[in-house]
Amino acid sequence: MDELLPRDVVTAAIHKQMAEDDMPYVRLSLERIPEEEIRSHFPNICQRCLEEGYDVTKEPVPVVPAQHYFMGGIKVNLSSRTSMDRLYAVGETSCNGVHGANRLASNSLLESMVFADRCASEITSSELPVAKDVTDRVDWSLYQNLEQLKEQYKNIVLEEIEKEKKRHE
Ligand SMILES: Cc1cc2nc3c(=O)[nH]c(=O)nc-3n(C[C@H](O)[C@H](O)[C@H](O)COP(=O)(O)OP(=O)(O)OC[C@H]3O[C@@H](n4cnc5c(N)ncnc54)[C@H](O)[C@@H]3O)c2cc1C
């Protein structure tokens, strides 16, 4: 089937095939992708599959559909405000309605950034009664040097990745 169809359609087709074959998985072939591209684009997948005894460059691998995004969550408006006074929700925990009933691929991180920005703008906007109270409690000096902050955030992420790697060694 066309694997670029919406995920629920692909998932339903995979489940149907699993039932027909009476198997707990289907096999995914990467044979149309050049070996070098597989190795350079998906090094972790290659390694993990090898650990499980599969060489993705030589044979199809068993796969099953899995949930990797939560649809639903706390209902918010277009500024990420919940129905509770002063409570905002952003990211996967929130439901802002932009995905409809079936999220399209690769737009959740974008959605999180857009709604985080809208949320921050509303919280800091002077029109809101909560704004002064909130902004008075923020130490704005932390946000003066954006380049330094970006470097700091990058290092936090890199450290976490290293920690995860060690955890799996
Ligand atoms: C395998 C996979 C592939 C994906 N691929 C893509 C993609 O290609 N493109 C895309 O746009 N999206 C993708 N997504 C979805 C995207 O990664 C998530 O929607 C996004 O990361 C959600 O961000 P978030 O900040 O809302 O939540 P999270 O990133 O889940 O952050 C929540 C954080 O809260 C912490 N936490 C939880 N409970 C507590 C607690 N009680 N106290 C303190 N901290 C807590 C967690 O440890 C976590 O760090 C993918 C997701 C998965 C799982």
Side-chain angles (χ1 to χ4, degrees):
M1 76 169 313
D2 177 2
E3 70 273 25
L4 293 177
L5 284 169
R7 292 169 185 199
D8 60 329
V9 179
V10 178
T11 298
I14 294 174
H15 274 293
K16 189 165 162 270
Q17 191 65 48
M18 281 160 55
E20 275 172 27
D21 298 345
D22 194 21
M23 290 288 284
Y25 55 78
V26 292
R27 286 187 180 269
L28 178 71
S29 166
L30 280 71
E31 69 182 352
R32 289 199 196 173
I33 310 174
E35 186 171 332
E36 197 33 55
E37 197 174 323
I38 298 177
R39 292 196 192 285
S40 59
H41 280 229
F42 312 109
N44 294 332
I45 291 175
C46 284
Q47 178 57 34
R48 186 74 190 97
C49 287
L50 271 181
E51 285 163 22
E52 293 292 330
Y54 298 99
D55 182 346
V56 290
T57 63
K58 308 240 170 337
E59 58 193 318
V61 282
V63 292
V64 286
Q67 180 180 4
H68 81 289
Y69 189 84
F70 180 74
M71 294 295 293
I74 307 163
K75 198 169 175 206
V76 293
N77 71 3
L78 292 178
S79 298
S80 261
R81 193 184 337 143
T82 68
S83 58
M84 193 180 280
D85 199 22
R86 298 179 185 221
L87 184 68
Y88 289 76
V90 176
E92 209 165 307
T93 197
S94 71
C95 176
N96 49 39
V98 293
H99 297 306
N102 193 4
R103 189 181 71 98
L104 294 173
S106 274
N107 56 12
S108 47
L109 296 174
L110 180 62
E111 174 227 309
S112 297
M113 281 196 295
V114 169
F115 277 80
D117 186 55
R118 284 168 168 234
C119 168
S121 299
E122 179 162 307
I123 291 172
T124 52
S125 100
S126 54
E127 287 150 39
L128 270 181
V130 292
K132 185 148 177 28
D133 184 25
V134 173
T135 51
D136 279 356
R137 278 187 273 144
V138 173
D139 178 2
W140 293 104
S141 66
L142 295 171
Y143 302 94
Q144 294 310 307
N145 189 337
L146 281 186
E147 283 313 310
Q148 195 182 24
L149 205 59
K150 273 189 208 161
E151 191 59 29
Q152 214 176 317
Y153 288 164
K154 192 176 105 186
N155 287 336
I156 291 173
V157 173
L158 291 178
E159 274 167 31
E160 284 306 312
I161 291 172
E162 286 308 317
K163 265 193 229 163
E164 276 298 298
K165 276 196 206 157
K166 288 213 176 76
R167 214 162 60 83
H168 291 287
E169 269 169 16

